Each structure stands twice: as C-alpha cells, then as structure tokens.
Amino acid sequence: MPDKTYDVLVVGSVNADLVVRVDRRPAAGETVLGSDLATYPGGKGANQAVAAARLGGRVAFLGRVGTDGQGDFLRNALRGDGVDIAHLITTPGPSGVALITVGPEGDNSIIVSPGANGRVTEEDVAAAGPLFAAASVVSLQMEVPLDAVLAAARAAEGAGARVVFNLSPPAAVPDELLALCDPLVVNEHEAAFLGASDPVGLLARGPRSVVITKGADGAIVADADGVTEVPSPRVEAVDTTGAGDAFTGALSWRLARGDALADAARFAARVGAAAVRVAGAQSSFPRPADLEEL
C-alpha cells in the first residue's frame, strides 16, 4: 500500500468498562457478592485502536464521548496510548458504559449502554474526509449506528483504504456493507447469526475475505488464496474481555503493513492470546516485548 499518515483509522465506540468478578452469575431475582468494582477504558472501537497503537501502529480515531467524567477519562486513555483523537467529538450527555461480570474461568457477560456512541453520525464521517484519505486500513464495528458504519465503509472505499469490519455485536447489515469488507471478522456466534458456520459460506454472503475467530482454538481465514486454519498459543486465561478486539486491532495493523491475510491472522492470534492473560480490556493489550514468549 502507498505510504499513508495512519496505518489504521478506527471509526467506533468508546466505553468505560465497569467490571466485577463473581464466583457465579446470579439467577433472575438473585443477588450475589462480587469483587471490588474496577473501571477500565474500553469500547470495541477504542480497544481496537489501542491494540494497534500498542504494537507500534499509527492510529487515528473517529467517535464520540459524553460530557460526564467518563468522557475525560476515556479521552485521556486514548491520548495516553498515542492514538490521534482530533476527531473524537464531545457530545452532551453520558459516555458509553459497559457493565461486565467476569466468571471464575475468565469468561465474561456484558451489557452495553451506548451513550454518546449512539450519536455518531454520517455527518461526522463526512467531516472527517481527510482522515480516510490518510489511512491504509479503516476498522469498523457495530457499537455505533449502522448509518455511520456504512458511511465510513463507503468513505474508506472511495479513499482506497481497506475495510476491516467486525460484525459485533451482531446485527442485520446491508449486502453493500458486506461487499466492502476485506475482511469481515466474526466469531462463531456472529457467523451463525449470518447463517453460516464456515468461511466459505460466509464468503457467499459477499465479503472479499473472511476471518472467523474461535477463541482458544485460533481462527479460520478465507480469501482468494483459499482457506487457512490459524492456531492460537495455549495460555492460562484470566479474563477474556477485549481479546477479540485485541485480535482485530492487531489484524488491522498487520494488514496495513502489507501482510497477507493469513499471516496477519497468525500474528493477531498471538496478540489475542497475550490479552487473555491479564485482567481488563485495554489494560491487557500487549506490546511487542510481551509477545516474545508466544
């Protein structure tokens, strides 16, 4: 790819992750005791931006935070990891928040209150036109409105940037958006939502390439070069929160550097494995030195 100012432009969500660890999740009407509340910077978009930046990527971000205290916290967290936040807009009202419970095996359950993320618009995308021309890869997710996601994919296509689209949380999307994905990134649940359990079936939906993430079992990649299974290093999982975002952020960065999709996915699997060894989302994302043993 020609040299650009940014490796990755992320258009997406910024959340404050409010995390409690529990021995077991409560049944309906039941109360259980958990750990002390921990607050981390998160949101699928911000997570992917930080993951790429921690690895050495030149990253810009387009999104919204609120006028509450969480907005300042989230803005400072992105800035602290070297993400360009010139197009992180402050909008009246609350910032996005994710309520997360983490079980004894490191698995998580998440409820997201979108807040300012729900106010990202097509106009925000249009106003940031030069950002798209300056980026090699544009990374998208579904924690901001679909109209904004589709506008961003169109802007990326028009600027010659590669679109990495993580269909999470799963939602109905137009065929036009799927056709712009290179790759479409989904986990097994999201693949099933699209009506396919294998990458070839997903390719039939229209994306140019596909990555299905499988947690501890790695990933499956499909593109014009065929289907490739990508293993994941075996690690002891402490907290899986944000691991998929770490994978996608790393994938986007390596694609921006010119890696083939399967090679980028191999690297991303190492990054995702490193992330589950530490509690939290962004707090768990590795730097290059953290990957040397994987």
Side-chain angles (χ1 to χ4, degrees), residues 79-290:
R79 184 188 292 115
D81 272 302
V83 177
D84 185 332
I85 58 170
H87 287 268
L88 179 58
I89 303 163
T90 299
T91 190
S95 300
V97 172
L99 309 175
I100 303 173
T101 58
V102 181
E105 303 302 321
D107 56 315
N108 60 63
S109 298
I110 304 174
I111 300 172
V112 175
S113 174
N117 297 309
R119 297 170 178 84
V120 178
T121 66
E122 298 172 77
E123 289 74 22
D124 295 340
V125 172
L131 270 186
F132 290 87
S136 293
V137 169
V138 174
S139 178
L140 307 170
Q141 326 79 38
M142 285 298 293
E143 286 187 339
V144 297
L146 174 59
D147 287 348
V149 174
L150 181 56
R154 288 169 174 163
E157 174 78 1
R162 185 168 185 166
V163 175
V164 175
F165 176 48
N166 180 204
L167 183 62
S168 182
V173 296
D175 290 343
E176 178 190 358
L177 178 55
L178 293 177
L180 295 173
C181 300
D182 190 17
L184 168 69
V185 181
V186 291
N187 63 24
E188 293 172 289
H189 300 292
E190 293 150 3
F193 176 84
L194 286 174
S197 59
D198 65 277
V200 174
L202 286 177
L203 282 175
R205 292 293 309 271
R208 301 169 189 178
S209 59
V210 168
V211 177
I212 301 178
T213 60
K214 302 177 67 178
D217 292 327
I220 301 177
V221 171
D223 60 10
D225 295 328
V227 178
T228 305
E229 293 197 18
V230 175
S232 173
R234 294 296 176 183
V235 297
E236 181 177 351
V238 173
D239 181 358
T240 60
T241 305
D245 298 329
F247 179 101
T248 304
L251 181 81
S252 296
W253 175 59
R254 295 298 292 205
L255 290 174
R257 285 170 53 94
D259 282 13
L261 182 59
D263 292 334
R266 290 187 187 95
F267 178 82
R270 293 170 60 207
V271 173
V276 304
R277 301 184 300 177
V278 180
Q282 292 174 27
S283 58
S284 73
F285 293 169
R287 292 178 168 83
D290 301 319

Side-chain angles (χ1 to χ4, degrees), residues 19-41:
V19 182
V20 175
R21 303 188 70 89
V22 294
D23 291 331
R24 63 180 180 84
R25 292 178 176 81
E30 182 184 19
T31 299
V32 300
L33 292 177
S35 68
D36 289 347
L37 176 69
T39 302
Y40 302 100

